[in-house]
Amino acid sequence: MQLHFALDFDGTISLVDTTDLLLATFADGSWQEIEEEWCAGRIGSRECMSRQVALLEASRAAMLAALADVKLDPHFAAFVTRAWLCGATVSVVSDGFDLAIIHLLHANGIDLPVTSNRLVETANGRWQAAFSNRGEQCPSGTCKCAAVPANRRVVLVGDGRSDFCLARRADFVLAKGALAAFCAAEGIPHRAISGFADALAFLDPFRARRHAAPSRLMFEDIHA
């Protein structure tokens, strides 16, 4: 079965959490109290983000300007290109927001399918969160499990709590930070990585075989 890479955005593709950056810049400090409720498990991420986004007060132009200095992992574009050349499919699955994700991908010349939450401008510089990819039984804004193709073997590349559910269902996980610790504790098949340089190395076994005989990248090629 062909391989699909599902990539988290904040903290994985981007080197900072873009939602936190926008909140720290354009919301009052009570957003951090809401964050603490989420971290303590008292509310789900969808409720957390709904309440936090309601605190934002800024124009679209101001928010895009605040994102201007955000850097993506320097090996991310190379990873996407190599995965494509190997015949894999790639998408971004994020519990962050489209305004930041799509803007930063396009600013770096990258076009990928994106499943995420949406920021909707209302009036007078105010915003609300929209969750068109929510799941009925999922407390997250975006149900990552529902966002990946059913007819592919899935490798998740992620870093944090929003990835925990999909990590249990994926065929393999390339895990940074808290996600690596979670996978180790839960016995989930994974490889700990520090960034996309390590994810590139994950594809090396198939790259060697591809020079001998062209084929599509299969899960068994790199998981053997």
Side-chain angles (χ1 to χ4, degrees):
M1 189 178 289
Q2 193 177 3
L3 199 64
H4 178 82
F5 288 95
L7 313 180
D8 173 59
F9 189 80
D10 291 300
T12 302
I13 295 174
S14 69
L15 299 181
V16 300
D17 187 305
T18 57
T19 301
D20 286 356
L21 171 63
L22 294 175
L23 290 168
T25 307
F26 299 114
D28 68 58
S30 62
W31 76 268
Q32 293 174 304
E33 297 171 10
I34 301 169
E35 189 83 1
E36 290 171 3
E37 291 186 60
W38 172 66
C39 290
R42 292 193 292 272
I43 59 174
S45 70
R46 188 164 63 242
E47 179 181 348
C48 174
M49 289 184 289
S50 291
R51 292 166 56 188
Q52 288 176 324
V53 166
L55 300 173
L56 287 170
E57 188 169 4
S59 68
R60 177 178 294 269
M63 295 219 283
L64 293 179
L67 296 168
D69 293 328
V70 172
K71 303 299 183 186
L72 305 187
D73 185 297
H75 300 282
F76 162 61
F79 173 84
V80 171
T81 298
R82 187 177 298 177
W84 281 342
L85 289 173
C86 291
T89 53
V90 183
S91 68
V92 175
V93 289
S94 172
D95 209 19
F97 290 97
D98 59 346
L99 184 145
I101 296 168
I102 294 172
H103 173 74
L104 289 168
L105 290 177
H106 288 179
N108 286 271
I110 298 168
D111 186 15
L112 285 174
V114 174
T115 303
S116 69
N117 308 315
R118 294 187 300 116
L119 278 179
V120 179
E121 193 169 9
T122 55
N124 301 318
R126 306 312 295 252
W127 298 80
Q128 66 182 22
F131 305 107
S132 55
N133 299 295
R134 63 190 291 178
E136 290 185 7
Q137 304 300 320
C138 181
S140 297
T142 291
C143 179
K144 293 191 176 187
C145 294
V148 297
N151 61 343
R152 297 284 191 274
R153 303 294 291 272
V154 173
V155 174
L156 166 66
V157 186
D159 80 308
R161 290 181 61 186
S162 71
D163 301 304
F164 287 1
C165 187
L166 181 55
R168 291 191 178 100
R169 300 191 181 194
D171 294 283
F172 197 74
V173 182
L174 298 176
K176 292 177 64 177
L179 181 60
F182 173 79
C183 289
E186 296 288 318
I188 294 170
H190 74 287
R191 180 183 295 181
I193 64 172
S194 60
F196 278 96
D198 296 330
L200 272 167
F202 181 73
L203 293 175
D204 281 345
F206 175 79
R207 184 176 60 169
R209 298 183 195 187
R210 189 169 67 88
H211 289 307
S215 63
R216 291 188 304 175
L217 177 57
M218 302 295 181
F219 179 73
E220 291 76 10
D221 289 318
I222 53 179
H223 194 57

